[in-house]
């Protein structure tokens, strides 16, 4: 099996198979330097695009520099990730035809205020690359934040009388 990188309708560039891939087959390994989450956050603070893959509980991430970093997100993927002894494999969950773009569901769980908008175009698209659990967590946090906002208090302003200016009557010149 061979993979190629070319333009993608999902996001800039994508990873495609040049041959048929059977279900259960490993397609690629996600490799790169391993960093703590804090190190990765600091290193990518000003980067608009990152290729970070969280291992286990997310305390350690792989900063992807490999073919797998070009595998795009889809809400209707043809692959899934599998972590085996600290290594991350992208594995086919169905038959993939030659020339088909390789995708998996990113199931993002961290991203601050980033919306992580999804462009996969699937009929079942969630509109975001966040996991369903993360979407629920964010909605709940949003509702909780709305409830915590203090009600607007009406404030009364005290009417302060404006002192009257004495009227000045100008006399007409008698000419």
């Amino acid at each position: 099996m061979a993979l190629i990188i070319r333009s993608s309708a999902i996001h800039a560039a994508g990873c495609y198979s040049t041959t048929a891939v059977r279900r259960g087959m490993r397609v690629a390994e996600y490799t790169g330097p391993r960093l703590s989450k804090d190190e990765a956050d600091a290193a990518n603070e000003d980067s608009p695009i990152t290729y970070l893959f969280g291992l286990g509980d997310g305390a350690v991430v792989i900063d992807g520099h490999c073919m797998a970093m070009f595998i795009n997100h889809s809400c209707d993927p043809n692959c899934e990730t599998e972590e085996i002894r600290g290594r991350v494999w992208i594995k086919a969950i169905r038959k993939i035809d030659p020339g088909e773009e390789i995708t998996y569901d990113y199931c993002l769980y961290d991203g601050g205020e980033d919306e992580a908008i999804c462009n996969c175009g699937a009929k079942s698209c969630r509109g975001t690359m966040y996991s369903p659990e993360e979407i629920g967590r964010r909605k709940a946090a949003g509702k909780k934040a709305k409830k915590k906002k203090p009600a607007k208090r009406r404030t009364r302003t005290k009417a302060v009388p404006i002192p009257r200016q004495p009227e000045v009557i100008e006399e007409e010149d008698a000419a």
Side-chain angles (χ1 to χ4, degrees):
M1 173 191 61
L3 301 174
I4 60 169
I5 306 303
R6 67 172 197 233
S7 293
S8 166
I10 297 173
H11 181 266
C15 186
Y16 295 79
S17 176
T18 60
T19 60
V21 177
R22 71 180 189 283
R23 180 179 178 199
M25 190 173 180
R26 287 182 181 171
V27 175
E29 182 179 4
Y30 205 95
T31 61
R34 290 162 190 262
L35 308 168
S36 72
K37 182 182 178 318
D38 292 339
E39 289 171 325
D41 287 346
N44 291 282
E45 187 175 359
D46 297 324
S47 299
I49 297 173
T50 59
Y51 298 97
L52 304 174
F53 194 105
L55 295 172
D57 64 0
V60 174
V61 298
I62 298 174
D63 191 357
H65 292 284
C66 57
M67 182 74 77
M69 71 187 245
F70 291 100
I71 298 176
N72 286 318
H73 162 85
S74 176
C75 295
D76 184 20
N78 52 23
C79 290
E80 65 184 5
T81 61
E82 184 176 42
E83 189 176 335
I84 301 172
R85 291 187 291 282
R87 295 173 73 180
V88 176
W89 296 96
I90 290 78
K91 182 178 84 172
I93 57 175
R94 65 166 175 78
K95 181 182 177 281
I96 301 172
D97 294 324
E100 188 175 348
E101 184 170 5
I102 307 296
T103 61
Y104 65 90
D105 189 336
Y106 285 7
C107 288
L108 297 180
Y109 57 87
D110 185 14
E113 298 297 314
D114 184 10
E115 293 180 53
I117 295 170
C118 178
N119 298 307
C120 75
K123 289 179 184 175
S124 60
C125 183
R126 296 188 300 270
T128 179
M129 292 183 281
Y130 285 115
S131 69
E133 296 79 18
E134 180 65 9
I135 293 167
R137 190 191 69 71
R138 286 172 176 250
K139 281 183 181 176
K143 285 180 183 177
K144 189 175 181 180
K146 272 188 174 178
K147 286 181 181 178
K148 280 190 175 183
K149 282 187 180 179
K152 288 186 178 181
R153 281 202 242 158
R154 289 186 153 190
T155 56
R156 291 187 175 178
T157 56
K158 186 175 179 183
V160 178
I162 299 172
R164 269 185 88 175
Q165 297 292 326
E167 287 184 34
V168 177
I169 303 173
E170 291 183 31
E171 293 181 21
E172 288 185 32
D173 288 330

